[in-house]
Amino acid sequence: MSSDHRTDAPPRDVGEQRSADWAEEAVREAEQAEQAEQAEQAHPHGRGRTIREQDVLDRIDKARRRKAKVKEERITLAHGAGGKATQTLIEAVFLDAFRNPLLEPLDDGALLTVGDTRLAFTTDSFVVSPLFFNGGDIGDLAVNGTVNDLAVSGARPLALSAGFVLEEGFPVADLQRVVASMKAAAEAAGVSIATGDTKVVERGKADGMYVTTAGVGVVERPVTLGAAHAKPGDAVLVSGPIGDHGVTVMLARGELDIVSDLASDTAPLIGLVDTLLDGVPDPCSVHMMRDATRGGVATICNEVAKASQAAIVLDEDALPVRPEVNGACELLGIDPLYVACEGRMVVVVDGGAADDALAAMRSHPLGEGSRLIGRVKDDPPGLVLLKTGFGGTRIVDLLVGDPLPRIC
Amino acid sequence: MCLAIPGEVVEVQTDRPDLAQVDVGGVQRLVNVGLVLDEGLEPGDWVLIHVGFALSKVDEAEAKAALEFLESIGQAYADELEALAESNID
Amino acid sequence: MRFVDEYRDAEKARALAARIAALCEPGRQYTFMEVCGGHTHTIYKHGIEDYLPETVQLVHGPGCPVCVIPMGRVDDAIALAEQDDVIMTSFGDMMRVPGGRGSFFDSKANGADIRMVYSPLDALKVARANPEKQVVFMAIGFETTAPSSAMTVLRAAAEGLENFSIFCNHVTIIPAIKAILDSPDLRLDGFIGPGHVSTVIGCRPYEFIARDHGKPIAVAGFEPLDVLQAVYQLLLQLSEGRSEVENFYTRVVPWDGNRKALQAIGQVMELRPYFEWRGLGFISHSALRVKEEFASFDAERRFSVPGVRVADPKACQCGEVLKGVLKPWECKVFGTACTPETPIGTCMVSSEGACAAYYNFGRFSRERVKEATRA
């Protein structure tokens, strides 16, 4: 039975019709939530009152603060992208169930105190496809990614664990290649892989291989780091050009048929972090460091703005982006601010220490391209703003899922 | 509908003249240029690319004229500002 | 990037802004509509409104071809995708668009083979590589994209491919503009003409706007200076008492359009007698379908689709937003029930819909942000 459009006259009666139940349900739920919250106050759409834009912005703010709830019945790829869907999933499912003071900050590493010693503890999984790409492979990502989470927590990495889930039929030679990369990366980072695990799953699962890691490090410096510690007047720095890794992997998948010389920026940041913390007069002037992985710089800035209840104002002209990354992003309609890196960090440092911090970072090979990209302000709290190269302003919100190529 | 980006033709395929390798800021893709072949296409030409097809050639003379017009507005503006500043000095 | 960066120059923007302000008659409100999602996106992405006086308002018309696809048609596409031997290929724009019971993403999570492509040519590749499967391409877009779908069908025919078809949802811009102009509750002073559609259809089709409705139209490119210049040129026309079609995207738009592109469309496709536009209702001769001669490349003929209409929720005010009568934040469900994470209506569904653009980019209070962005 084919659709109405085959007849020659517009339908007088539209025939069988349905309504989208999920949409009706969503509207009902939102109305109920609002009524509960605004029982005493006049509803912004109250009779006779014109709607003020500010009222609507306030209403949205409230809606965004409501308890996170996963509406989907099944996990979709968006839940793994690092954006809003991931956040909602983490808050509504994991944080809700596991809630404890160690987990709450949701920083890159958890801080454990054992006697006088502070330990940083982190975990990560690596599911990149393809496994091998320009500039590295899943093994490099696994070691560097874990080391970086420890480094930006202010820790000296002590040891990593590595768990392997291998697909039946995966070439042993490829496994050896990955392991060789991990060995080299671990040596470069000065860390050892102290324990591990191996599982094999049937053909068709695990995309070749998945790697899960955990890392432990010791926080020797008297630093207090975290997304909640940004203060108005702080400077926001990035350690180099953004988006290299994400675009490299996107192109390496081959489906887009785009070729370039771009390479992943995967690298261990421990040396850069040390140089930075040594190069500022007081290491406590560094308030936050985070390595920009999935979700990109935009996601980190949003997390900081939200946790610190401050505003971050970014300067588009100051963002370092390679021409090829720019070219690929313009072609696909993607914003480099949301594209993953694997060897770049975002640093929030006291305004007065910004110059020293930049100089220190630039003195390290991995930080040569460091730039001051923005400032922390006190208002509007929780928002990330961008001064565009054109001179206008816009906000930079979290994406729902992965940045998707668009044609419109 | 609207995401189309200018790219530079690097090479037209000899066996398939309706395909060309096009460069956008250093990344390259094979683009179907069947819709813009009428006036001929050479390496160095610029085309407007949308979903893997070239919809139009970029007319460099027109692009230059457009920029010059914008600059003239800018210059006239700068002149006016200067005139305004000078007229305040008595 | 050449032919891009030059049109993002802030200094030239300031000069244009001064000229724009100088052209505004004191006490007069100006409302200009753009009918291209790309323009909506550019306006918000670069913060162009910061350069306009408060008396100049930009409203966003039905220019997002993804947004206007009715939920029922999305359901049809999903029904196709869920067939066992079908690989559905689609642009990224469609992946999160919800139909009556979920989006492509949801369907993929349920096991349907749905793959994102950058070009319909890539969908052809998938067809060649998977001869035992049926590959369907979700063809969306205005006249900008229709030639690409048509050329791809011609290529498939030339290669004798038997496992490739398109689900044609191409729509045409002129009937949408007519619907806007015929709308009684609207007060518009002029149009910013869609740039890339015009590379295909040229500028002649817009002549009726100036001639019969007395509104000026400035065809503009997509860089911020292009849009600002269009506003300036529209104000200039108004101040000089003219209403004409003017082309300011001459670097890529030929007055007569692209003959070959129009031929390709004409060869493969024909106008549907009518088509439903989400938020606007049924509009006659406003969409394309595959011609009989190419029936084997028409997914609607090859497979059966449910063809059931899904009504928009009563609370949805997309129709008014699409016509520029309501601003996004004036819709009752904006930001609460309807957000980018949970889009209810068409304007929130695509990243270039008016509501999505406002929510993602423009959702801030001007005074507070002016303070914050002061150096």
Side-chain angles (χ1 to χ4, degrees):
Chain A
M1 187 196 73
S2 70
S3 43
D4 280 334
H5 326 292
R6 295 280 150 213
T7 62
D8 262 310
R12 255 164 308 163
D13 121 59
V14 294
E16 195 193 339
Q17 200 176 188
R18 283 193 281 113
S19 58
D21 295 330
W22 61 268
E24 304 286 0
E25 178 61 37
V27 173
R28 249 195 311 272
E29 257 181 50
E31 271 172 4
Q32 280 166 1
E34 255 184 71
Q35 272 161 17
E37 279 164 11
Q38 295 177 336
E40 300 90 47
Q41 298 168 33
H43 196 279
H45 292 285
R47 228 195 332 232
R49 227 183 105 185
T50 41
I51 304 161
R52 276 179 52 233
E53 192 177 357
Q54 188 56 50
D55 289 339
V56 177
L57 294 176
D58 291 339
R59 207 168 46 135
I60 292 173
D61 213 34
K62 248 188 251 168
R64 284 162 74 99
R65 286 173 202 274
R66 271 186 216 131
K67 184 166 182 298
K69 197 176 130 177
V70 178
K71 296 212 164 101
E72 298 85 355
E73 275 178 12
R74 288 177 190 268
I75 298 294
T76 72
L77 288 175
H79 289 118
K84 277 191 201 144
T86 306
Q87 261 195 8
T88 304
L89 187 73
I90 292 177
E91 282 175 25
V93 176
F94 299 118
L95 189 56
D96 199 52
F98 301 152
R99 195 173 299 276
N100 63 72
L102 289 172
L103 183 58
E104 293 261 10
L106 289 178
D107 278 317
D108 275 350
L111 272 180
L112 312 171
T113 314
V114 184
D116 288 330
T117 313
R118 291 195 296 165
L119 294 175
F121 178 36
T122 185
T123 182
D124 217 330
S125 345
F126 299 89
V127 299
V128 69
S129 176
L131 298 171
F132 304 98
F133 41 83
N134 224 4
D137 59 40
I138 190 174
D140 292 296
L141 295 187
V143 171
N144 293 334
T146 317
V147 162
N148 292 347
D149 280 347
L150 291 173
V152 300
S153 305
R156 178 172 58 84
L158 284 176
L160 303 187
S161 70
F164 296 86
V165 178
L166 305 170
E167 182 183 356
E168 179 190 15
F170 186 62
V172 174
D174 282 349
L175 176 60
Q176 283 169 325
R177 227 176 119 186
V178 170
V179 167
S181 295
M182 290 177 77
K183 178 181 170 180
E187 269 166 19
V191 75
S192 44
I193 295 169
T195 180
D197 182 69
T198 311
K199 295 283 186 296
V200 178
V201 290
E202 279 165 9
R203 198 178 292 274
K205 305 188 177 169
D207 243 349
M209 75 188 289
Y210 298 145
V211 182
T212 316
T213 58
V216 175
V218 57
V219 182
E220 284 156 340
R221 297 173 192 267
V223 287
T224 312
L225 297 164
H229 296 286
K231 296 187 179 23
D234 282 357
V236 181
L237 314 175
V238 74
S239 64
I242 62 179
D244 289 7
H245 174 80
V247 174
T248 299
V249 170
M250 223 182 315
L251 301 190
R253 291 208 192 104
E255 300 148 352
L256 298 169
D257 245 340
I258 296 174
V259 294
S260 88
D261 290 333
L262 274 176
S264 169
D265 52 12
T266 179
L269 295 174
I270 184 68
L272 181 61
V273 169
D274 278 336
T275 308
L276 166 64
L277 293 174
D278 288 337
V280 286
D282 175 10
C284 293
S285 58
V286 176
H287 298 156
M288 190 236 46
M289 295 184 288
R290 198 167 273 194
D291 62 327
T293 52
R294 61 174 187 182
V297 169
T299 302
I300 294 181
C301 290
N302 270 281
E303 286 167 358
V304 171
K306 186 174 165 202
S308 302
Q309 277 302 290
I312 291 188
V313 181
L314 298 173
D315 182 3
E316 188 171 43
D317 275 341
L319 294 172
V321 186
R322 287 193 207 284
E324 296 90 337
V325 171
N326 216 15
C329 287
E330 289 278 350
L331 196 55
L332 297 170
I334 283 176
D335 189 343
L337 271 174
Y338 297 95
V339 180
C341 314
E342 283 287 338
R344 301 279 180 245
M345 59 179 193
V346 175
V347 177
V348 175
V349 66
D350 193 84
D355 289 338
D356 288 327
L358 261 183
M361 285 165 70
R362 283 178 180 156
S363 71
H364 190 281
L366 285 176
E368 274 167 2
S370 296
R371 298 268 199 100
L372 171 73
I373 62 169
R375 296 252 166 218
V376 180
K377 308 261 175 153
D378 61 341
D379 194 63
L383 271 192
V384 178
L385 303 170
L386 180 81
K387 263 218 95 155
T388 72
F390 190 60
T393 318
R394 70 165 214 255
I395 60 175
V396 178
D397 199 354
L398 284 175
L399 289 187
V400 177
D402 276 309
L404 298 176
R406 57 186 182 94
I407 67 141
C408 292
Chain B
M1 166 187 186
C2 305
L3 187 68
I5 202 81
E8 185 176 1
V9 174
V10 171
E11 190 193 340
V12 181
Q13 308 274 287
T14 34
D15 53 330
R16 281 279 305 275
D18 62 334
L19 292 177
Q21 191 77 356
V22 178
D23 182 294
V24 180
V27 302
Q28 297 188 359
R29 201 201 129 103
L30 213 54
V31 168
N32 185 309
V33 293
L35 296 172
V36 298
L37 285 177
D38 277 349
E39 313 133 55
L41 200 66
E42 282 172 8
D45 283 346
W46 283 73
V47 290
L48 187 72
I49 310 162
H50 173 69
V51 305
F53 285 80
L55 289 183
S56 172
K57 275 177 81 167
V58 179
D59 186 327
E60 307 205 20
E62 288 291 347
K64 191 156 170 262
L67 277 177
E68 277 168 4
F69 172 76
L70 289 170
E71 267 174 36
S72 73
I73 290 198
Q75 190 48 51
Y77 177 58
D79 289 345
E80 268 178 50
L81 277 186
E82 218 182 288
L84 187 67
E86 279 168 7
S87 72
N88 283 336
I89 299 166
D90 266 329
Chain C
M1 276 184 59
R2 214 179 145 202
F3 298 118
V4 168
D5 294 341
E6 313 89 298
Y7 301 95
R8 296 186 182 181
D9 183 71
E11 240 185 77
K12 295 196 179 72
R14 281 190 283 276
L16 265 178
R19 299 247 148 228
I20 285 172
L23 277 174
C24 289
E25 267 177 50
R28 183 173 168 182
Q29 276 284 122
Y30 297 91
T31 311
F32 299 126
M33 175 180 273
E34 43 82 0
V35 290
C36 176
H39 278 144
T40 315
H41 195 91
T42 289
I43 287 164
Y44 281 110
K45 182 180 156 178
H46 296 278
I48 291 174
E49 287 181 312
D50 285 3
Y51 283 102
L52 299 177
E54 288 215 5
T55 49
V56 176
Q57 292 276 305
L58 297 179
V59 298
H60 315 292
C64 170
V66 170
C67 305
V68 300
I69 297 176
M71 281 200 274
R73 289 291 279 183
V74 176
D75 287 351
D76 288 346
I78 290 180
L80 286 170
E82 284 175 350
Q83 292 189 32
D84 270 331
D85 59 341
V86 168
I87 301 176
M88 172 62 79
T89 53
S90 166
F91 296 129
D93 312 58
M94 281 304 300
M95 299 303 291
R96 301 192 50 82
V97 177
R101 37 180 203 93
S103 66
F104 272 8
F105 246 3
D106 295 323
S107 184
K108 192 165 141 63
N110 267 326
D113 192 342
I114 301 180
R115 306 188 195 180
M116 211 160 46
V117 291
Y118 161 73
S119 164
L121 296 173
D122 299 341
L124 265 191
K125 265 177 76 180
V126 173
R128 284 185 209 111
N130 294 276
E132 74 298 351
K133 296 270 187 177
Q134 291 289 328
V135 174
V136 177
F137 174 65
M138 178 80 185
I140 57 162
F142 283 98
E143 291 97 326
T144 328
T145 323
S148 307
S149 298
M151 296 276 281
T152 304
V153 168
L154 289 172
R155 181 95 214 133
E159 287 181 21
L161 273 183
E162 293 186 344
N163 64 334
F164 178 78
S165 60
I166 69 172
F167 183 41
C168 190
N169 287 284
H170 286 299
V171 284
T172 55
I173 190 66
I174 297 298
I177 296 179
K178 282 207 174 95
I180 294 293
L181 285 168
D182 290 339
S183 189
D185 28 344
L186 208 51
R187 201 140 303 155
L188 290 177
D189 296 295
F191 286 87
I192 298 176
H196 294 143
V197 166
S198 307
T199 63
V200 174
I201 69 175
C203 301
R204 278 185 211 291
Y206 308 121
E207 283 169 352
F208 79 98
I209 300 172
R211 184 191 60 225
D212 303 338
H213 295 267
K215 312 277 181 204
I217 169 165
V219 174
F222 294 87
E223 296 309 322
L225 271 183
D226 291 317
V227 176
L228 212 54
Q229 195 195 3
V231 174
Y232 164 70
Q233 298 288 358
L234 287 171
L235 286 167
L236 193 61
Q237 282 207 39
L238 287 173
S239 75
E240 293 173 357
R242 294 181 287 129
S243 72
E244 292 166 11
V245 180
E246 290 187 313
N247 178 8
F248 296 104
Y249 198 17
T250 51
R251 59 192 191 269
V252 292
V253 172
W255 192 266
D256 291 317
N258 185 321
R259 195 182 44 93
K260 272 189 118 169
L262 292 167
Q263 267 172 4
I265 299 178
Q267 198 180 346
V268 175
M269 298 169 184
E270 65 192 3
L271 282 172
R272 297 178 189 266
Y274 56 84
F275 193 67
E276 187 188 358
W277 288 52
R278 215 180 147 180
L280 292 179
F282 286 89
I283 304 182
S284 49
H285 300 116
S286 62
L288 295 165
R289 67 181 176 205
V290 178
K291 272 179 163 164
E292 181 71 46
E293 301 95 280
F294 293 93
S296 61
F297 301 100
D298 181 1
E300 278 175 274
R301 284 186 170 94
R302 277 184 95 134
F303 308 93
S304 73
V305 290
V308 176
R309 192 172 172 267
V310 178
D312 273 340
K314 292 173 271 307
C316 180
Q317 297 182 279
C318 280
E320 287 147 286
V321 176
L322 274 175
K323 286 189 272 200
V325 170
L326 274 191
K327 294 209 183 34
W329 48 264
E330 287 173 333
C331 168
K332 292 194 179 69
V333 289
F334 177 83
T336 49
C338 189
T339 66
E341 214 176 339
T342 56
I344 299 247
T346 121
C347 306
M348 187 64 88
V349 129
S350 157
S351 61
E352 50 156 45
C355 295
Y358 173 76
Y359 191 102
N360 286 321
F361 297 137
R363 186 190 85 237
F364 54 80
S365 148
R366 256 152 232 288
E367 308 81 51
R368 285 163 87 184
V369 158
K370 252 197 184 60
E371 262 313 303
T373 53
R374 209 185 303 267

